Each structure stands twice: as C-alpha cells, then as structure tokens.
C-alpha cells in the first residue's frame, strides 16, 4: 500500500501468531523495514486486550499467588462452619457475591 514507515507509531495485533516469530511475525516485518531504511523511530507493539492477560500470566510468577488462593479456598470449603462464617462475612460486608464462585 506504499505506506510511509517513517510515520509508523504503533502496531496492534490479534492472535498469538501475529506476535510470535523473531523473523516472520507481523510485528517483526515492519520493524525490519524501518531498520533497513535507517528510520529513527521506536514503534510501540500492542497485543489485543483479550489476549494480554494470558500472555502476562505466562511471563509473571503467579504460581505463588495461586497456591495461597487455593489454600484459602480449600480452608473455607473444608469445614461447614468455616464456609458459613465466610458467607456471613460476605453478607455483612455487602459484597456483590454471597459465596465463593
């Protein structure tokens, strides 16, 4: 389409294949052309909002957080008294939910 790559500010893509690939990815190819044309421009690369969460989860250390959450949920659900007290706590706090999801 003969677009001027010197005016390229950001690229937004959808789907993992678009972001993947150090040589043939959709994001990599325009960057390669910018470097070849010796254009001094930093391009912002964005991924669609729906897919950002799983990508962030893969790169961050959420395993430790999930272990603590799982232990807390198991403790609440392990005994009837704990569960009833938790439900009462949610009711008194006027929470949006009345029980664990």
């Amino acid at each position: 389409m003969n677009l001027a790559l010197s005016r390229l500010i950001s690229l937004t893509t959808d789907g993992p294949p678009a972001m993947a690939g150090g040589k043939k990815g959709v994001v990599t190819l325009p960057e390669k052309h910018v470097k070849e044309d010796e254009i001094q421009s930093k391009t912002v690369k964005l991924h669609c909002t729906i897919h950002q969460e799983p990508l962030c989860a893969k790169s961050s250390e959420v395993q430790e957080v999930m272990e603590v959450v799982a232990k807390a949920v198991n403790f609440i659900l392990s005994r009837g008294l704990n569960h009833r007290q938790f439900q009462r706590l949610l009711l008194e706090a006027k929470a949006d939910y009345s029980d664990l999801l």
Side-chain angles (χ1 to χ4, degrees):
M1 300 182 99
N2 296 324
L3 299 173
L5 292 178
S6 60
R7 300 184 66 134
L8 182 65
I9 296 172
S10 68
L11 292 167
T12 304
T13 61
D14 184 26
M19 293 297 283
K23 296 181 182 179
K24 295 183 181 180
V26 171
V27 175
T28 306
L29 293 175
E31 283 184 333
K32 186 188 289 186
H33 288 292
V34 167
K35 287 179 185 176
E36 287 174 0
D37 294 343
E38 297 179 2
I39 298 169
Q40 300 299 319
S41 169
K42 288 194 174 188
T43 306
V44 178
K45 296 168 272 195
L46 302 171
H47 201 58
C48 76
T49 307
I50 295 170
H51 293 105
Q52 283 180 9
E53 185 179 341
L55 289 173
C56 290
K58 285 181 181 178
S59 65
S60 66
E61 298 293 327
V62 295
Q63 185 64 31
E64 294 172 15
V65 175
M66 291 305 296
E67 287 176 6
V68 173
V69 170
K71 284 182 182 180
V73 169
N74 289 337
F75 177 79
I76 292 168
L77 295 177
S78 65
R79 294 180 182 85
L81 178 60
N82 294 346
H83 192 197
R84 288 190 302 276
Q85 287 176 336
F86 182 74
Q87 288 173 326
R88 193 173 324 129
L89 172 72
L90 293 175
L91 184 67
E92 291 172 5
K94 298 179 182 172
D96 291 340
Y97 299 101
S98 60
D99 201 358
L100 289 169
L101 298 177

